[in-house]
Amino acid sequence: MKRPLALRLSALSAATALAAAAGIALTSPEATAATGGVTGYATQNGGTTGGAGGQRVRATTGTEIHAALCGRASSSTPIIIEVEGTINHGNTGKVSGGSCNTAAGVIELKQIGNVTLVGVGAGAVFDQLGIHIRQSSNIIIQNVTVRNVKKSGSPTSNGGDAIGMESDVRNVWVDHATLEASGGESEGYDGLFDMKDNTQYVTLSYSVLRNSGRGGLIGSSESDLSNGYVTFHHNRYENIDSRAPLLRGGTAHAYNNHYVSLNESGINSRAGAKVKVDNNYFEDSKDVLGTFYTDQRGSWQVAGNVFDNVTWSSPGSENYPAGPNPQSTTTVNIPYAYTPDAAGCVPDVVRRTAGAGTGLQVSDGNCTPQTPAPDPSTPTTPPPTTPGPTEPGGANLSLGAGADGSSKADGTSYGNVRDGNLSTYWSPSGSTGSVSVKWGSATSVSRVVVREASGATGVVRAWRLLNADTGAVLATGTTAGTATFPQTSLKKITFEITSASGTPRVAEFETYAS
């Protein structure tokens, strides 16, 4: 049922050959992911280890992620893909191979196993691009941000789900992720974390889900009851209208989560679902637990929760809130060991540990964040020193080209971005604006480097790269730097700043054929 939106938005040789062809780097092992710390239902059914023990591959585009999957000896050869940078439609293409089944416009983990996808370095942002897990098992996704994935409008990806799982999926651990939208169904978004069509043994931990009409679901309909055994712990649900989560059948466990501003409903147990809800903190929310929008009821076991400024609606024919004094209606036997934090400290410990970019910290059960033990597959000896990022190859096509733009601050020039001099720069008249590089005849470009001037690094917060001949979006991102996209022949390319923390200063807008 559509609900009104009430958002308060504020064979290593083969792998090596394919990786080289795609421009990705095989890296030496380093302690970048704490994959030994899986918890909850993902520890059952043989456990979840992802790509532990496999080759580590560095990827900076979606195409490189797909190339890493396709370059394995088989679809089950363990692999750890370390991702850094902004992954978007412009740099995510289909790659073919015997060990993969990929598609453009989505990160496709389909018919594969034994994979870890982990954000490293400055972080990994999947911008308007969803992660789709289908007919796969033993998958770890860690330390990534997935945002603004749409099912309608443009561009679309993954049915509008930030992370979606369907069709015989087993053993998935999503950890320290940030999943966010900018609205609800009417704005083109769907769920942040959806599981359907026989998806089992999943854990979502230390993650942030925010600014969405729908947090996520287990089961796509009242007849899709083959899903379950899902653990949600130490997550922050913030400014979510409903589905935090929605459970249709199956068994779930929610503990030590901080729920803030659940605007219409929260944990919705229906169609025979059972959920243990213990030691959570519910704050400034409505109808945080119960059966909603159906007469097919589910059940719950509650203990140790805090309800802080929670309101409850009256029961009705399709509305069965658990409060105002929630009582258990079932018993859920949890098959794994866990040590929950006291509910009173959950807001603080979740604030310090949840989401991408928090150092993979976890709680010790005593309300104190701890740095986790490293991946047991990581060697104890220090890794060899590896070189820094490789500069683009070939000539900077901007040198000697023309330039113009939409606005400029007094005393700056468009031409400053293509003069090869980092001490000169262009600034827009405010915090947003655009600058273009142009040629007299069509020129092939597949990579740009935007360098901010000294003292202004990090000011640019959101941008688009446009084919100014057609208006097509080639790439998007959140920080200035390198962007790659399929080689495009054009006469003019535009760097459009859509958000900044101050007045940007672009020293160089470099363009390269490769």
Side-chain angles (χ1 to χ4, degrees):
M1 176 181 294
K2 179 180 176 181
R3 312 303 299 176
L5 185 66
L7 293 179
R8 290 180 256 170
L9 286 173
S10 337
L12 290 176
S13 58
T16 303
L18 185 53
I24 59 179
L26 299 178
T27 67
S28 55
E30 52 186 11
T32 53
T35 55
V38 63
T39 51
Y41 275 113
T43 64
Q44 306 298 291
N45 191 45
T48 305
T49 57
Q55 175 69 55
R56 291 179 183 268
V57 176
R58 186 67 59 95
T60 60
T61 70
T63 303
E64 291 173 358
I65 294 172
H66 286 161
L69 295 171
C70 296
R72 297 183 295 165
S74 74
S75 61
S76 60
T77 301
I79 189 170
I80 300 171
I81 304 174
E82 300 175 339
V83 185
E84 184 174 18
T86 299
I87 312 301
N88 53 42
H89 284 75
N91 64 32
T92 302
K94 175 182 174 64
V95 178
S96 299
S99 60
C100 64
N101 188 346
T102 72
V106 63
I107 297 302
E108 192 79 304
L109 307 180
K110 182 178 179 180
Q111 297 169 340
I112 61 173
N114 307 326
V115 173
T116 293
L117 196 67
V118 57
V120 299
V125 177
F126 294 80
D127 185 34
Q128 302 182 76
L129 195 80
I131 299 175
H132 187 201
I133 305 172
R134 186 172 184 175
Q135 294 172 278
S136 295
S137 63
N138 195 23
I139 307 294
I140 294 174
I141 299 172
Q142 192 171 48
N143 198 37
V144 303
T145 295
V146 187
R147 67 185 184 197
N148 291 336
V149 180
K150 285 192 169 185
K151 68 175 182 178
S152 62
S154 180
T156 60
S157 178
N158 196 30
D161 297 335
I163 296 179
M165 290 160 269
E166 62 179 305
S167 301
D168 304 321
V169 173
R170 293 290 185 275
N171 292 86
V172 176
W173 179 33
V174 177
D175 177 62
H176 285 88
T178 298
L179 310 178
E180 57 190 9
S182 296
E185 186 177 28
S186 60
E187 287 78 22
Y189 305 98
D190 198 5
L192 296 177
F193 194 73
D194 279 11
M195 293 155 279
K196 52 193 176 184
D197 192 15
N198 197 23
T199 294
Q200 298 181 0
Y201 302 106
V202 176
T203 294
L204 176 67
S205 59
Y206 296 99
S207 293
V208 175
L209 297 86
R210 63 188 174 206
N211 298 340
S212 177
R214 296 169 172 174
L217 57 77
I218 302 173
S220 60
S221 68
E222 310 295 66
S223 61
D224 181 17
L225 305 179
S226 58
N227 311 279
Y229 306 116
V230 182
T231 300
F232 305 86
H233 76 88
H234 291 93
N235 304 299
R236 179 179 172 92
Y237 286 79
E238 179 180 3
N239 195 22
I240 302 291
D241 279 1
S242 62
R243 302 186 180 182
L246 163 62
L247 299 88
R248 293 180 168 114
T251 300
H253 183 199
Y255 73 93
N256 283 161
N257 301 293
H258 186 200
Y259 302 90
V260 187
S261 297
L262 303 183
N263 301 314
E264 297 178 18
S265 61
I267 301 173
N268 185 354
S269 179
R270 54 199 269 188
K274 299 171 61 176
V275 56
K276 183 173 184 179
V277 182
D278 58 307
N279 294 80
N280 301 282
Y281 197 105
F282 299 91
E283 182 177 3
D284 298 338
S285 297
K286 175 186 176 183
D287 284 344
V288 298
L289 174 64
T291 297
F292 306 102
Y293 323 127
T294 182
D295 59 1
Q296 297 189 41
R297 302 183 65 168
S299 56
W300 44 83
Q301 179 182 353
V302 293
N305 300 290
V306 170
F307 300 92
D308 180 2
N309 192 32
V310 171
T311 60
W312 301 90
S313 61
S314 299
S317 60
E318 293 187 346
N319 192 57
Y320 306 93
N325 182 26
Q327 301 294 313
S328 297
T329 60
T330 192
T331 299
V332 180
N333 296 316
I334 301 302
Y336 49 83
Y338 71 105
T339 304
D341 293 300
C345 76
V346 162
D348 178 66
V349 76
V350 168
R351 176 184 59 83
R352 297 164 66 186
T353 58
T358 56
L360 300 179
Q361 290 199 98
V362 297
S363 174
D364 63 354
N366 294 302
C367 301
T368 305
Q370 304 284 322
T371 299
D375 181 344
S377 68
T378 300
T380 57
T381 55
T385 301
T386 56
T390 302
E391 288 293 313
N396 175 10
L397 302 174
S398 298
L399 297 176
D404 59 26
S406 64
S407 66
K408 61 180 177 180
D410 291 341
T412 69
S413 168
Y414 301 125
N416 289 342
V417 303
R418 43 86 176 164
D419 61 2
N421 185 351
L422 290 173
S423 66
T424 64
Y425 59 86
W426 161 83
S427 282
S429 57
S431 61
T432 62
S434 63
V435 63
S436 302
V437 172
K438 57 185 180 179
W439 300 270
S441 59
T443 301
S444 293
V445 180
S446 67
R447 186 184 298 260
V448 303
V449 178
V450 175
R451 303 184 190 273
E452 293 176 281
S454 177
T457 302
V459 171
V460 174
R461 293 295 179 86
W463 54 264
R464 301 194 306 166
L465 196 65
L466 306 175
N467 179 342
D469 298 350
T470 65
V473 177
L474 300 173
T476 61
T478 56
T479 57
T482 301
T484 59
F485 46 91
Q487 192 168 78
T488 304
S489 180
L490 44 73
K491 290 185 177 181
K492 184 175 178 180
I493 187 169
T494 299
F495 179 68
E496 180 185 38
I497 301 169
T498 58
S499 176
S501 59
T503 301
R505 290 186 288 176
V506 177
E508 291 298 306
F509 179 9
E510 302 173 4
T511 54
Y512 298 88
S514 62

